[in-house]
């Protein structure tokens, strides 16, 4: 039976470490790091996620601000707010919660964020630096996965790693990071996606499988080899007859895969808490390196 890669436990440890840093900052009479979140519209999942980030800021001692816009906001109005935040000496990092309404060009919004305040790690400059193995903000979910592997001392050097899903937020950066010259890294990486034929032919040989599909229970036990390390990024609401009316399911069929794997992340409690913790980590990095922090 697989051992659990406990993202909830590790995220609490990381936030506790950040709080120690913030306490020292405040003791030295300097202002607290400040994270701003922009929320457009009333998407339930986005609201819940942003509210969780605000709570995380409170836990570690950050100042946090939430800026809300209606779903009808114009692109120019949103860009004006981003420009204001870029110029503010009181703001260390900010995020624009995705997805955005159809009238707004998402790429234009991401490109407008000052890379020095892009704590989501989505700006092309930061993505390019990541690909070149330069110091930069890493996207929060891949950063969280790397940190989880590191904290549990999961061997990655020379291992075969299969990534399922090629999104710019998880799959593609994860494939770059697992192949980098570092720990975790130095893996032989295969990036699979919706056009990959016979995905199980790849996953059956993999020492590490990282899946970010959003397809509940896609990865079954007969698709992985004994002793594999399995990281489940997927999280989907599945309707059921419970009082809540739904449950959260990952991409991995947990029971069948856990019977064969050496390590596995649960859903919930695996990658999700790590994503939020690494946003806090990126924010304090931004604070410490900011040209505005006098």
């Amino acid at each position: 039976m697989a051992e659990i890669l406990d993202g909830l436990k590790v995220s609490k440890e990381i936030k506790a470490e950040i709080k120690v840093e913030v306490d020292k900052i405040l003791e030295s009479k300097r202002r607290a790091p400040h994270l701003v979140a922009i929320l457009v519209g009333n998407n339930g999942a986005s609201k819940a996620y942003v509210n969780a980030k605000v709570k995380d800021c409170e836990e570690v001692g950050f100042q946090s601000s939430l800026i809300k816009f209606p779903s009808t906001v114009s692109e120019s109005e949103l860009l004006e707010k981003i420009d204001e935040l870029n110029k503010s000496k009181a703001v260390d990092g900010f995020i624009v919660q995705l997805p955005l309404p159809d009238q707004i060009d998402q790429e234009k919004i991401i490109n407008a964020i000052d890379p020095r305040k892009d704590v989501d790690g989505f700006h092309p400059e930061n993505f390019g630096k990541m690909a070149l193995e330069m110091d930069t903000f890493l996207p929060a979910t891949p950063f969280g996965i790397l940190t989880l592997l590191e904290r549990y001392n999961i061997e990655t050097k020379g291992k075969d790693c299969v990534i399922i899903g090629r999104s710019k937020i998880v799959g593609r950066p994860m494939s770059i990071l697992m192949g980098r010259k570092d720990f975790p890294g130095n893996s032989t990486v295969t990036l699979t996606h919706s056009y990959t034929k016979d995905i199980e032919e790849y996953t059956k040989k993999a020492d590490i499988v990282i899946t970010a599909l959003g397809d509940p229970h896609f990865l079954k036990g007969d698709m992985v080899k004994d002793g594999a390390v399995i990281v489940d990024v997927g999280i989907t609401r599945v309707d059921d007859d419970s009082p809540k009316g739904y449950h959260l399911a990952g991409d991995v069929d947990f029971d069948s895969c856990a019977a064969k794997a050496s390590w596995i992340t649960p859903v919930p409690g695996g990658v999700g808490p790590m994503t939020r913790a690494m946003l806090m980590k990126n924010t304090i990095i931004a604070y410490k390196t900011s040209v505005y922090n006098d």
Side-chain angles (χ1 to χ4, degrees), residues 36-279:
V36 176
I38 297 176
L39 179 63
V40 179
N42 292 301
N43 180 283
S46 292
K47 285 170 67 176
Y49 194 50
V50 167
N51 288 337
K53 290 171 182 175
V54 171
K55 183 183 175 191
D56 290 333
C57 285
E58 292 172 359
E59 284 184 30
V60 301
F62 287 178
Q63 180 184 352
S64 68
S65 300
L66 175 56
I67 300 170
K68 297 180 180 179
F69 287 103
S71 58
T72 54
V73 67
S74 68
E75 184 175 273
S76 60
E77 189 177 356
L78 190 53
L79 286 169
E80 188 178 324
K81 177 56 68 173
I82 288 171
D83 184 58
E84 179 186 318
L85 295 174
N86 283 338
K87 293 174 179 175
S88 173
K89 294 183 179 182
V91 174
D92 300 295
F94 66 94
I95 63 164
V96 179
Q97 186 64 36
L98 305 178
L100 293 170
D102 292 340
Q103 77 271 16
I104 296 173
D105 184 335
Q106 190 164 289
E107 292 301 319
K108 187 182 288 187
I109 297 302
I110 291 171
N111 290 345
I113 297 170
D114 186 333
R116 296 169 298 184
K117 297 189 177 189
D118 170 41
V119 289
D120 259 338
F122 294 161
H123 192 281
E125 181 178 317
N126 290 327
F127 198 98
K129 285 182 175 180
M130 175 194 69
L132 293 169
E133 300 190 30
M134 299 168 66
D135 286 340
T136 192
F137 296 119
L138 300 181
T141 298
F143 193 8
I145 294 169
L146 290 180
T147 303
L148 198 56
L149 295 174
E150 180 184 21
R151 295 280 175 127
Y152 278 94
N153 201 30
I154 302 297
E155 183 59 72
T156 59
K157 183 171 63 176
K159 300 297 184 180
D160 288 324
C161 176
V162 169
I163 315 287
I164 307 176
R166 56 180 170 179
S167 75
K168 289 181 283 187
I169 294 173
V170 182
R172 198 169 300 172
M174 203 70 241
S175 69
I176 294 168
L177 292 165
M178 289 301 288
R180 67 181 181 163
K181 295 178 182 178
D182 205 344
F183 171 70
N186 285 309
S187 295
T188 301
V189 182
T190 302
L191 179 62
T192 65
H193 47 77
S194 57
Y195 286 94
T196 302
K197 295 178 180 178
D198 302 322
I199 282 180
E200 63 270 17
E201 295 304 313
Y202 296 93
T203 58
K204 283 177 181 177
K205 299 173 185 176
D207 302 301
I208 303 167
V209 180
I210 302 171
T211 176
L213 274 177
D215 186 353
H217 310 301
F218 171 82
L219 189 73
K220 304 291 197 297
D222 60 5
M223 296 171 67
V224 300
K225 71 177 187 179
D226 289 336
V229 175
I230 301 174
V231 178
D232 188 353
V233 184
I235 186 161
T236 306
R237 284 192 179 193
V238 178
D239 293 338
D240 61 22
D241 296 326
S242 70
K244 283 197 301 184
Y246 69 90
H247 65 276
L248 298 176
D251 290 347
V252 174
D253 185 63
F254 186 87
D255 291 342
S256 64
C257 287
K260 296 180 72 175
S262 57
W263 293 91
I264 192 169
T265 59
V267 174
V271 174
M274 293 300 298
T275 298
R276 288 166 45 194
M278 302 329 285
L279 182 66

